[in-house]
Amino acid sequence: MSEELLKLTCKELRDKIAGGAVKSVDAASAVFDRIEEVDGTVGAFISTFKERALETAAAVDEKIARGEAVGALAGVPIAVKDNMCVSFGKTTCGSRILEGFEAPYNAGVIEKLIAADAVIVGKCNMDEFAMGSSTENSGLKKTVNPWNTDCVPGGSSGGSAAAMAGDMCFASLGSDTGGSIRQPASFCGVTGLKPTYGRVSRYGLVAYGSSLDQIGPFTKDITDTALMMNVISGRDERDSTSVGEDMAPVPDYLANIDTPIEGLTIAVVPQFNEGADGDVQAALNAALDVYKSLGAEIIEIEMPHFDYAIATYYVVATAEASSNLARYDGVHYGHRTADAKDYIEVYSKSREEAFGMEVKRRIMLGTYVLSSGYYDAYYLKALKVRNLIRSDFTKAFEKADCLMMPVSPSTAFKVGEKTTDPLQMYLADIYTISANLAGVPGISIPAGFDLDGLPIGLQILAENFAEEKIMRVARMFEKQTDFRLASPQL
Ligand code: GLN
């Protein structure tokens, strides 16, 4: 019974709960039993809120028994990445510097989940401050890939993706600064959407690269992507970069997902596809064949500035990070050194003791590119290239409805394989980083398996605020294939 329950989508579970066929308390209990059973191996969660979750679930069941209206996620167990503030537990950001930190307020997305009657299960592991592509940079614990526990789950939202693949929640939230939703979704065989910059409030999301960060959902299928986006999207006065209804109204994402796009034109960049591993290329080509059989036209285009995306990203992201992370001073938040003789030492020793290697590397790099002698040569130059990358997308979307490409050059790599060479880790983000520089939305959907049985994702990108179109395009593929239904053996 509980195994069957755990296989339901959010939409199915919500409808059963609202109709009285399933109790929310039973769904939550099934999730916590599952966490107990497998999370010792997977390591997806940094903290869980069992007591609170069961209380919320019981309250939802009572509302339903009284015949009251319930929200769009009534009684559905949801997990969140540990960089979104909650007022009822810890928010660590995967860092020892915030290990004991309890936020005094809920992030905008958390408020929205609560308002939709969701049951928040726990907080998921991540690379420290979302810096990484494998979750190996977490200062707190290891997370492995449920499909093969010798492999990484991807990152930085690796915990949120692994919790989904391990059936430890029905949907989860991640954040994507350079690929951190799409890449772990691809590595773990689930669906992950990075919305347009500004679509979802960043209020209460611990800042990494503020002009790149965006929260989005991990789900089992596109129906749930739409459901989650209905709940979390929209303007928030407390995030000045969140976009208003006047500029880009939030549609009902569920309304049209089953309507295929007539005369769909898909752009591909041949050299991108050739740059990926054989199995990844094969999955992409097979996906394009599915679209062709549905009447889509495939065109080849160029994205001439993509070659500079990684370099540009690592200037912009580290510059912003060095400024955002200056607030961890041993006074305002988290860890404070026990051994300082003056204020400067409080600052330097607290940071020295509690930040991990990768975070220190990025603070140094960011400080360097912003320093007066180098600002023009690096930071300003990067901003200019960022504009050129943006214009590559604009031109592409003048010719095609969407762009398709791999999510990552490879499937999930082995634990430890890239930790000694940060540059190798950075290069793995080649296909995802440009979308963040341009702000455009992108999704990863399950599109196959490699010879070792590891999942492969297909990436679909479209112009700003075209999430609905992306979902419709993705849904066309999802209806023809069943990759999303396979589960790992844990
Ligand atoms: N892997 C990229 C980085 O390390 C992207 C991370 C992210 O999207 N948060 O910065």
Side-chain angles (χ1 to χ4, degrees), residues 81 83 126-134 137 155-157 175-184 194 208-209 212-214 313-314 317-318 358 362 425-426 428-429 432-433 436:
K81 186 175 182 177
N83 57 353
M126 53 182 286
D127 286 298
E128 184 174 8
F129 287 102
M131 298 175 185
S133 308
S134 66
N137 292 336
S156 63
S157 314
S175 65
D176 192 311
T177 304
S180 282
I181 293 174
R182 289 160 287 158
Q183 185 255 26
K194 179 201 95 74
Y208 160 23
L212 305 154
D213 300 338
Q214 185 60 197
Y313 172 86
Y314 279 95
T318 58
E358 185 60 28
R362 294 194 188 195
M425 192 79 90
Y426 298 174
D429 295 331
T432 47
I433 258 173
N436 301 75

Side-chain angles (χ1 to χ4, degrees), residues 53-66:
L54 291 171
E55 275 169 28
T56 312
V60 171
D61 287 336
E62 277 162 32
K63 260 197 195 176
I64 291 163
R66 287 196 300 267

Side-chain angles (χ1 to χ4, degrees), residues 26-76:
D26 292 335
S29 301
V31 159
F32 285 104
D33 288 349
R34 179 71 180 164
I35 292 174
E36 213 145 279
E37 185 191 334
V38 299
D39 206 40
T41 309
V42 177
F45 286 93
I46 291 180
S47 57
T48 50
F49 309 124
K50 186 170 179 180
E51 203 177 311
R52 183 185 179 277
L54 291 171
E55 275 169 28
T56 312
V60 171
D61 287 336
E62 277 162 32
K63 260 197 195 176
I64 291 163
R66 287 196 300 267
E68 287 173 30
V70 284
L73 288 171
V76 179

Side-chain angles (χ1 to χ4, degrees), residues 373-430:
Y374 299 101
Y375 183 94
D376 288 358
Y378 294 105
Y379 185 65
L380 206 62
K381 179 69 78 47
L383 293 186
K384 290 179 182 161
V385 181
R386 183 177 188 172
N387 265 333
L388 294 172
I389 292 170
R390 226 177 244 140
S391 70
D392 279 358
F393 277 107
T394 310
K395 285 181 196 141
F397 298 136
E398 277 161 12
K399 298 192 193 113
D401 290 294
C402 63
L403 190 58
M404 286 192 194
M405 64 179 82
V407 180
S408 173
S410 72
T411 51
F413 45 87
K414 290 262 158 50
V415 172
E417 192 181 314
K418 296 189 200 281
T419 39
T420 49
D421 186 351
L423 202 58
Q424 278 311 310
M425 192 79 90
Y426 298 174
L427 290 172
D429 295 331
I430 176 85

